[in-house]
């Protein structure tokens, strides 16, 4: 159950797929060098391989425990968290204005993948902290920022997001937690929240909750929700910790996976909180956090897939069984064509999804830092367009790849001790949280595609066309040319259908459209990486070419198979007999 | 966590997809009437819904336990097993010659699906008994048959198959368990076996193990393996039980799923056994059992998928969240197009796989009972051809459908108490055991396709062509016609490629070819069922039509997307860089 961080893949994609040089050319990142990137990737590799990876199985087998009003994290997690904070990993992509390292998100996508791959349950804690920092930095008063941000940026204090209630999940409109002004600028918050990731634990000295609640006389529905900051321990003006606030964990969920991540039921009983942002604008503030979080959940899909792939590859090298063709009995199973097919299927698809996630992160860097305002705007539109794809495509793929990982192990994969099953269990949450993948698909076709008349998508298609032209006019990746040509045409056709469809037709076809976009873009980015790497003389370009070839022959063609259902989806979906269980 | 047996679907498919009337017209089944089929389906529905289904979660949460030398089954299982045996379910498809009911396998596919869907872990015990009965009936001496078969047929005694050893799994050649003649016609068997499903338990009075072992001086490899019958308790000549035999469970696996099914490590320490079949012909005897078992494992894929579908459908009806299009907030999520898409995707694909399984079972009935020897031969070839497809296609689909089932539940799906996660865990074993799905694919292209020059496949293609002709010349299922036409053409093309490919190319493409065949045949059978049902005035024909339409638009087109990789599979697969973990 070791983990070997895929540092070479990160370097390769940064150079040949997402053009990290253009990020390094911005003023904000002028101090970033390839040497610095190397140092950081190597440092993250060491930390995740040596410290976090060995605790992954520990966390699975020894879930966090609720003892009285306190959650105790899995054995070893507290010590690992201290090392994590000490090394400064929490602040890597955070702005230097608030004490962060100010490094590119594209690099953070790589370091985060290593953290999630080595120990996804652990990695959720810093992910929540990052999101909370982002929301506080964007929306909170200077006073709140001064009091809370510093120690969250270092990781001394962690963050948590308290959104969901039993009746309010994907739709937060019906939430009922109340916030009543206390007259001193603070509020008294009462209600119950569920599914609170790392809502309590003993790893950080304080936990800063961002809680959605309703003010008295707030409008009903989603326009009457405000955001509040509630620290676990009150913070005195001198920064020291005071009394415990009036909220606590009252239960932990018994989950399929990510056992090392405590998922809390939180009871707020007149807890003291402070408003973040404007009254009744809480959902907008939360979206600041959620959009970033969605990309990093996508990265989790790739990460778990990578870990599952590595376990399967190792097993296939080690397990001796059967006779390989034209060979002797007693050979490792990696010699069997079907085992090899499963492994390249895992790896090729993972690399494609990884390229999409890194491109999304790189777009966010250019959206923040490009000199030209138009370039910033275009990059922002690209980031927004790719985010739901990065999230949904990568997490669906994480589940599928983890399932193949079990299959490569045969019977051993079904026995928990092997560890392959843990990946299959852990991976299953990622398509659900931070907006289900169905909601990502609606976000893609609604806010990201139809609202701007397809402009951002046309820009993405133009990039894919330019990749195809590069292949057509060149002599590399020739095997991929027909698939890329067909894939781009399919994407154009599907996009036209979606832009012209009725709302309900578009909604019925949304998930298929997202998967189609993902397959074509992932394949195109692998081809681009192969061609650019070859041109740059990268010694690993042939490996990338092999992955691109498989993708072009096996994955990209699936896009075309989705056109019929995209065209006629709603009719067929609504013809579905939804009556009684035992009906035909 | 209720289960509603899909009795209407079984009736529908038996009538309109697999032509049960032709089975009922054989001499062997002349006493089978539609009323009898109804009675049996209703009886199985009651038993599985009322007795087995409530124990499914019990078994998951309270796995079988090893206490000393004995395994205690999950709470309630012993009582349920007594009811199962008492009602005669064990003997349903078994020959009347050995005391069975002699009913068609097509009907057993339906009753078995209900058993597996209600409680897969429980259902494995009778599945193993059935297989053991079949092997003993086919290969054992009259004396062994007289001593053991009666009580196995009733279910008073159960069966177990002891094949796997740590170094001998998919390839049994390296197994080392020894069998030494004792001079009195019996053998002394010594060795360790793993993954022995229901290898020990307290539900039946005796457990009859069929054990693969090597005689002294047997040839090495798979041609030196013999089959032995080892009862847990020795059976006296008067049929009473004597001393315990010298083998016992020494461990239970800690598995991802099917916790209610004890998976034993068995230690044979000079256990007494009797040869079944000829010396060194043990594998051939085992294959008698395995081929039947493979179909029923396929049925398990459908069964778990059906259970997952029912849970998802129920949840989608009950869960209120969000606003449906053009509607008010606060509607059940089944009103959301994407939820509806997930549900029809689950149901349509399940119905297609179920049709394949029932067609396989029906072919086995005609292979055994058709009056005309040529018809028997053709039916046998059809059964042999469809078996690996029924197994692999249905079990891969079971995993995917169970995963979608979790997704429909959102966050609740990831919490174990909901039960959706259990199906996701349970389903994962079926693609692995009874021959991994990769091995099914090799069986399909090797023994079933290339060995007979494609004759059995051409016969299947001819059936699909006739279905297409029926659609083309009719006025039903017109939406499906283009997909069926393309699907059949794709299957022809792929079959030609596979028949002419080199061995290694065929092996690399085998899994894709199997999936292609499955998608096309499943879709064609749904279309056939819709057309025939409509012609017969079946009131549920419109429902079947809706499922066929979705399949034709969304599933069948995937077949075409596999042609590129089938054509060029081996090259691409063997280009895969399989070096170090951290390499690109």
């Amino acid at each position: 159950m070791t983990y070997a961080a895929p540092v070479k893949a990160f370097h390769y994609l940064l150079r040949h797929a997402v053009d990290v040089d253009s990020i390094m050319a911005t003023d904000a990142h002028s101090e970033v060098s390839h040497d610095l990137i190397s140092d950081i990737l190597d440092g993250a590799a060491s930390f995740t391989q040596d410290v976090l990876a060995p605790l992954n199985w520990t966390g699975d087998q020894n879930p966090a425990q609720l003892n009285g009003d306190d959650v105790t994290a899995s054995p070893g997690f507290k010590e690992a968290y201290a090392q994590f904070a000490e090394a400064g990993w929490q602040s890597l992509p955070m702005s230097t204005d608030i004490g962060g390292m100010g490094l590119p998100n594209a690099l953070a996508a790589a370091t985060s993948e290593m953290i999630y791959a080595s120990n996804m349950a652990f990695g959720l804690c810093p992910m929540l902290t990052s999101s909370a920092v982002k929301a506080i930095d964007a929306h909170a008063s200077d006073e709140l920022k001064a009091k809370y941000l510093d120690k969250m940026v270092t990781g001394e204090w962690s963050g948590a997001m308290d959104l969901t209630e039993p009746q309010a999940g994907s739709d937060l409109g019906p939430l009922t937690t109340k916030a009543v002004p206390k007259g001193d600028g603070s509020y008294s918050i009462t209600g119950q929240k569920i599914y609170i990731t790392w809502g309590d634990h003993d790893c950080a000295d304080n936990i800063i909750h961002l809680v959605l609640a309703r003010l008295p006389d707030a409008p009903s529905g989603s326009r009457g929700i405000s955001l509040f900051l509630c620290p676990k321990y009150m913070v005195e003006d001198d920064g020291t910790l005071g009394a415990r606030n009036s909220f606590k964990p009252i239960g932990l969920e018994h989950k399929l996976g990510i056992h090392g991540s405590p998922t809390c039921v939180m009871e707020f009983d007149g807890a003291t909180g402070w408003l973040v942002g404007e009254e009744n604008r809480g959902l907008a503030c939360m979206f600041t956090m959620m959009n970033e979080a969605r990309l990093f959940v996508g990265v989790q899909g790739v990460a778990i897939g990578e870990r599952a792939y590595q376990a399967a590859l190792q097993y296939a090298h080690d397990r001796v069984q059967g006779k390989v063709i034209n060979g002797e009995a007693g050979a490792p199973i990696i010699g069997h064509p079907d085992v090899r097919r499963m492994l390249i299927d895992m790896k090729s698809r993972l690399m494609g999804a990884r390229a999409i996630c890194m491109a999304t992160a790189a777009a966010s860097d250019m959206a923040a830092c490009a000199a030209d305002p138009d370039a910033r705007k275009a990059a922002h539109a690209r980031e927004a367009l790719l985010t739901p794809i990065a999230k949904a495509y990568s997490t669906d793929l994480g589940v599928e790849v983890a399932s193949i990982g079990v299959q490569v192990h045969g019977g051993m994969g079904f026995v928990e001790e092997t560890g392959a099953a843990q990946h299959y269990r852990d991976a299953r949450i990622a398509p659900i949280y931070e907006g289900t993948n169905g909601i990502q698909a609606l976000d893609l076709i609604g806010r990201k595609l139809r609202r701007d008349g397809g402009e951002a998508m046309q820009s993405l298609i133009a990039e894919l066309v330019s990749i195809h032209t590069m292949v057509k006019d060149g002599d590399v990746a020739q095997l991929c040319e027909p698939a890329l040509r067909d894939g781009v045409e399919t994407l154009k056709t599907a996009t036209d259908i979606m832009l012209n469809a009725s709302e309900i037709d578009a909604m019925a076809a949304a998930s298929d459209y997202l998967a189609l976009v993902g397959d074509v873009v992932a394949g195109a980015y692998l081809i681009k990486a192969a061609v650019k790497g070859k041109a740059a003389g990268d010694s690993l370009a042939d490996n990338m070419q092999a992955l691109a070839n498989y993708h072009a022959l096996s994955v990209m063609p699936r896009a075309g198979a989705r056109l019929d259902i995209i065209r006629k989806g709603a009719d067929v979906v609504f013809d579905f007999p939804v009556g009684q269980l035992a009906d035909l």
Side-chain angles (χ1 to χ4, degrees), chain A residues 514-550:
Chain A
L514 187 148
L516 181 159
V517 178
D519 280 338
V520 174
V521 174
Y525 282 177
L526 292 184
I527 294 167
K528 175 186 174 187
V531 175
K532 297 237 174 193
K534 194 82 179 173
D538 196 308
S539 64
L540 294 169
D542 288 342
N543 284 8
M544 185 60 77
Q545 183 63 67
L547 300 179
N549 284 348
Y550 178 84

Side-chain angles (χ1 to χ4, degrees), chain A residues 71-83:
Chain A
V71 173
T72 309
S74 299
F77 276 44
K78 182 174 178 161
E79 295 74 16
Y81 186 84
Q83 285 186 259

Side-chain angles (χ1 to χ4, degrees), chain A residues 169-181:
Chain A
S170 293
D171 177 10
L172 291 165
L175 72 78
T176 61
T177 295
K178 301 270 176 257
V180 178

Side-chain angles (χ1 to χ4, degrees), chain A residues 2 25 29 32 46 57 77 151 155-156 189 214 267 298 323 347 381 401 420 435 456 468 490 496-497 523 536:
Chain A
T2 54
H29 298 301
V32 179
S46 296
W57 173 246
F77 276 44
K151 293 201 165 160
E156 286 167 271
I189 294 168
R214 270 180 206 292
E267 178 88 7
K323 186 166 93 88
K347 182 157 186 167
V401 166
H468 177 251
T490 298
D496 285 345
I497 296 170

Side-chain angles (χ1 to χ4, degrees), chain A residues 4 48 193 264 463 521:
Chain A
T48 56
K193 295 285 179 180
C264 303
E463 186 195 358
V521 174

Side-chain angles (χ1 to χ4, degrees), chain A residues 63-73 200 202 244 249-252:
Chain A
Q65 302 278 346
L66 177 61
N67 301 307
D69 295 345
D70 296 290
V71 173
T72 309
D200 196 61
D202 59 351
R244 185 153 177 183
I250 59 168
L252 293 178

